[in-house]
Amino acid sequence: MQKLVRKKVIVPVLALTFLIVGSSFKSDFFEIAKQIEIFTTLFKELNMNYVDETNPAELMDTAIKNMLEDLDPYTKFLNEQDVESYRINNAGEYSGIGALVRTYKDRLLIVEPHQGYPADKAGLKAGDQIIQIGDIKVADFEDNASELLKGSEGSTVDIIYKRQGKINSTTIVRGGIEVDAVPFYKMINKKTGYIVLSKFNAKATDQTKSALLDLKGKGAEKIVLDLRDNPGGLLSEAINVTNLFVPKGELVVTTKSKVKKFNREYRTSNQPVDTEIPLVVLVNGSSASASEIVSGSLQDLDRAVIMGARSFGKGLVQRPLKLTYGTQLKVTISRYYTASGRCIQSLDYWNRDENGNAIRNTQFNDFTTRNGRKVQDGGGVLPDVEIAAVKTNDLTMALLQNNVIFDYATDYYFSNKVADVADFQFSNSDFNDFKAFVRESDFSFETKAEKAITEALSGPENDFLGQEVKDSYKTLLANIQKGKINALDKYQKEIQKNLEDEIIKRYFYRDGLYQYYLSHDDAILAASELLENSSKYNSILGNR
């Protein structure tokens, strides 16, 4: 009798649960269907009745981009060209000219030609401005003109470009391009190996493993893994790279989403290469996503000492979802949590300030590593040992973003001869020359103080202040401007490092830059010194 009663109670509860879940789903579905119908009718009536001719494709593209703008910057609509670029980026192989190119309205800027590839063979240099491709002027091309540089291996493309004010032309024979995940590795000294892992494409694990084994074969008993400026990539590669240094079955990362099927625990599934070799991982403010999974989890597992500067803080996972006509939606599906359970996402895109900007996390929660060391969430991966020269600041970032450092390096390259990377030295005289270059350029950036003062002065409600007060404000703004120029001296070390990096690449490509790092880079020198001191290394990790 009791069993019968129990059934009578359970069945209505299950039915009620299903009803609630079903109602919720139907409610969401109805709302989505309703909004789609409204948009469809609006789009149809607009295009049929607007007084001038409309371009439905452009209108739709604008509508989609504006809709996604309110979300995070990683959720993007990918057209067919974008889908192909996304595939190429992850695969690490494509056919083209072999150069990093930045797109502007009226030109394409060669940022970095890769050594030995078509653009380099054709004589193109960083700083060259492509103004015409074939018969098409870049300024007249409405879409992304860099697409015109792509083509099948062996095909040719004629270009016209501007260099130092002079117009030149050349023909590029397109070739197969391989994008290495590990562009450089070498012994720093007799017992310490150095590996640069620049991106997490499909080659990341295999190339890191190959480099690690080769270095061990050459006598490496300690390893420095450089993840600085690594923007991330494939989640699976991040787990497998971590697996090279930790045992099979270790929890590396957990993803949590509102969609249950995206909630997963990712554990190492392969036999490691070496779980004991002392390891230092270098990160900086441009180390993001997959780089933070590797560095964060190796820190959480007390498997490596992390050195450098606080990482970028991207704790979000994206997945491409197929749409119609070969398009895709790259959508943020979940947050990821490193081995200790922390999410290192630094910007809150779901709560914004009065200007619509994402709010940066300033309050962090404490977590503990396997050995009981304190680590925190919400602001990237904070290194165990910070290196001052690796840190960045608003002034340095503004100089980089406004191409001031890039443009100075271009002028420096065409004005100075450097025969060997070992002979290169950026002197104080050179830095003074750079300061003069900044003063003569149109470089400017607005500090928070300037913005507040400017806002305080604008508006009719401040007329009662009187001219004397306003003049004082203007004097203060002028002094702030002078202070920004003087700040070049304050941040000379950080700025000079970026200048040296950019200049050396002009003469000796990226390979020469990494070679220069081995004997000049503060972070690598500090990492090597730490690895020589086993007691200090173990004390940082809390090893007994």
Side-chain angles (χ1 to χ4, degrees):
M1 186 68 181
Q2 285 179 332
K3 288 182 180 178
L4 184 61
V5 171
R6 192 177 291 125
K7 282 184 180 178
K8 284 183 179 179
V9 173
I10 290 172
V11 171
V13 171
L14 288 173
L16 180 61
T17 303
F18 178 78
L19 180 63
I20 292 170
V21 173
S23 298
S24 174
F25 172 76
K26 285 180 180 178
S27 175
D28 289 346
F29 182 81
F30 172 75
E31 186 61 27
I32 292 169
K34 173 185 171 183
Q35 297 304 325
I36 289 173
E37 187 175 352
I38 291 171
F39 181 79
T40 302
T41 52
L42 179 150
F43 191 69
K44 177 183 173 183
E45 295 299 332
L46 177 66
N47 283 282
M48 288 179 65
N49 297 297
Y50 189 70
V51 63
D52 293 321
E53 283 295 320
T54 59
N55 185 322
E58 285 186 3
L59 282 174
M60 181 59 75
D61 192 55
T62 301
I64 291 172
K65 286 178 179 176
N66 279 313
M67 175 176 65
L68 298 180
E69 254 182 24
D70 286 340
L71 305 176
D72 64 82
Y74 313 111
T75 296
K76 294 180 179 179
F77 171 70
L78 306 177
N79 60 31
E80 291 172 277
Q81 290 177 342
D82 294 331
V83 170
E84 179 62 13
S85 297
Y86 185 74
R87 184 195 67 76
I88 287 169
N89 189 52
N90 287 333
E93 295 179 1
Y94 68 100
S95 178
I97 69 167
L100 184 61
V101 177
R102 189 176 298 143
T103 305
Y104 294 91
K105 251 188 173 183
D106 59 343
R107 69 196 188 281
L108 297 176
L109 179 68
I110 299 293
V111 175
E112 184 182 351
H114 302 310
Q115 187 174 12
Y117 281 115
D120 183 37
K121 288 179 179 178
L124 290 180
K125 302 292 183 184
D128 290 347
Q129 301 174 40
I130 298 175
I131 55 177
Q132 186 170 322
I133 303 169
D135 296 328
I136 301 172
K137 291 184 177 179
V138 174
D140 297 336
F141 195 72
E142 292 185 1
D143 296 324
N144 186 347
S146 66
E147 295 296 323
L148 298 173
L149 296 174
K150 296 177 182 177
S152 59
E153 188 172 351
S155 63
T156 60
V157 57
D158 297 322
I159 67 163
I160 296 174
Y161 64 96
K162 186 188 289 186
R163 174 186 294 172
Q164 299 284 284
K166 295 180 180 179
I167 302 299
N168 304 281
S169 63
T170 190
T171 299
I172 304 175
V173 181
R174 298 183 181 97
I177 313 298
E178 291 190 15
V179 183
D180 286 328
V182 176
F184 184 88
Y185 70 91
K186 198 167 185 177
M187 296 293 289
I188 299 173
N189 52 48
K190 290 182 179 180
K191 293 186 177 181
T192 307
Y194 173 65
I195 302 172
V196 178
L197 178 52
S198 64
K199 59 191 63 190
F200 285 87
N201 61 21
K203 300 179 178 183
T205 305
D206 287 344
Q207 290 190 346
T208 306
K209 181 178 181 180
S210 177
L212 179 59
L213 289 171
D214 192 28
L215 290 171
K216 281 168 65 70
K218 291 174 178 175
E221 298 175 4
K222 310 171 187 72
I223 293 292
V224 177
L225 178 64
D226 197 341
L227 297 181
R228 289 177 295 177
D229 299 319
N230 184 323
L234 300 172
L235 174 63
S236 57
E237 291 297 311
I239 295 156
N240 290 333
V241 166
T242 306
N243 194 173
L244 297 175
F245 302 100
V246 302
K248 182 178 179 179
E250 285 281 9
L251 176 66
V252 175
V253 67
T254 303
T255 57
K256 295 180 182 179
S257 168
K258 72 174 184 180
V259 181
K260 281 188 176 181
K261 68 178 180 179
F262 296 142
N263 292 341
R264 286 193 58 183
E265 284 188 348
Y266 293 88
R267 295 180 179 273
T268 53
S269 57
N270 304 312
Q271 292 301 324
V273 172
D274 195 325
T275 61
E276 300 294 332
I277 192 167
L279 177 65
V280 167
V281 178
L282 303 180
V283 296
N284 65 5
S286 296
S287 304
S289 193
S291 296
E292 295 172 299
I293 290 175
V294 173
S295 56
S297 288
L298 288 174
Q299 185 179 51
D300 290 350
L301 296 169
D302 294 306
R303 180 61 190 87
V305 171
I306 312 303
M307 298 182 71
R310 187 187 290 273
S311 65
F312 181 81
K314 180 178 180 285
L316 306 174
V317 180
Q318 288 72 45
R319 173 172 290 192
L321 303 177
K322 290 183 179 179
L323 306 176
T324 55
Y325 298 103
T327 61
Q328 291 184 6
L329 173 66
K330 185 162 75 77
V331 60
T332 298
I333 59 167
S334 57
R335 291 179 177 84
Y336 73 76
Y337 300 79
T338 61
S340 67
R342 55 181 169 146
C343 180
I344 49 79
Q345 178 64 27
S346 63
L347 291 174
D348 184 355
Y349 296 106
W350 296 268
N351 293 292
R352 297 176 181 257
D353 63 21
E354 56 189 16
N355 297 316
N357 299 316
I359 297 171
R360 183 170 294 277
N361 291 325
T362 55
Q363 294 185 335
F364 307 134
N365 298 305
D366 293 343
F367 293 79
T368 54
T369 69
R370 177 163 288 175
N371 289 342
R373 297 186 299 136
K374 187 179 85 171
V375 289
Q376 294 183 315
D377 66 358
V381 176
L382 182 65
D384 302 305
V385 179
E386 293 189 87
I387 308 295
V390 180
K391 292 181 180 180
T392 189
N393 52 73
D394 289 344
L395 177 59
T396 307
M397 288 300 297
L399 290 166
L400 289 167
Q401 291 167 357
N402 287 276
N403 276 357
V404 180
I405 287 174
F406 182 88
D407 290 341
Y408 178 81
T410 301
D411 287 354
Y412 186 98
Y413 173 76
F414 288 110
S415 303
N416 298 273
K417 288 185 178 181
V418 181
D420 192 297
V421 68
D423 298 331
F424 176 75
Q425 186 175 10
F426 195 82
S427 65
N428 284 330
S429 174
D430 290 326
F431 192 76
N432 287 332
D433 185 51
F434 171 71
K435 288 193 294 183
F437 181 85
V438 174
R439 279 192 289 268
E440 292 166 11
S441 71
D442 57 0
F443 168 70
S444 66
F445 80 103
E446 190 175 46
T447 65
K448 290 178 181 177
E450 281 178 294
K451 189 174 182 180
I453 293 169
T454 304
E455 287 177 355
L457 282 174
S458 62
E461 68 272 15
N462 294 314
D463 288 343
F464 72 91
L465 291 174
Q467 194 59 44
E468 188 177 344
V469 174
K470 289 185 177 181
D471 287 343
S472 296
Y473 271 127
K474 288 177 182 177
T475 302
L476 180 58
L477 284 171
N479 288 333
I480 290 174
Q481 188 63 33
K482 289 179 184 176
K484 285 190 290 188
I485 296 297
N486 293 336
L488 291 169
D489 288 323
K490 179 180 178 181
Y491 296 114
Q492 179 175 348
K493 198 165 189 177
E494 296 93 322
I495 294 169
Q496 185 164 320
K497 176 180 172 21
N498 284 280
L499 283 165
E500 289 172 348
D501 287 1
E502 193 60 53
I503 290 168
I504 289 170
K505 282 189 295 183
R506 304 302 175 95
Y507 294 97
F508 309 108
Y509 303 90
R510 195 161 285 271
D511 195 72
L513 176 62
Y514 294 134
Q515 187 67 46
Y516 180 80
Y517 277 177
L518 295 181
S519 55
H520 292 81
D521 183 79
D522 284 359
I524 293 174
L525 295 175
S528 301
E529 185 180 340
L530 175 64
L531 287 168
E532 289 295 323
N533 189 337
S534 58
S535 60
K536 186 175 180 181
Y537 173 87
N538 285 315
S539 68
I540 291 173
L541 293 177
N543 293 331
R544 293 188 176 90

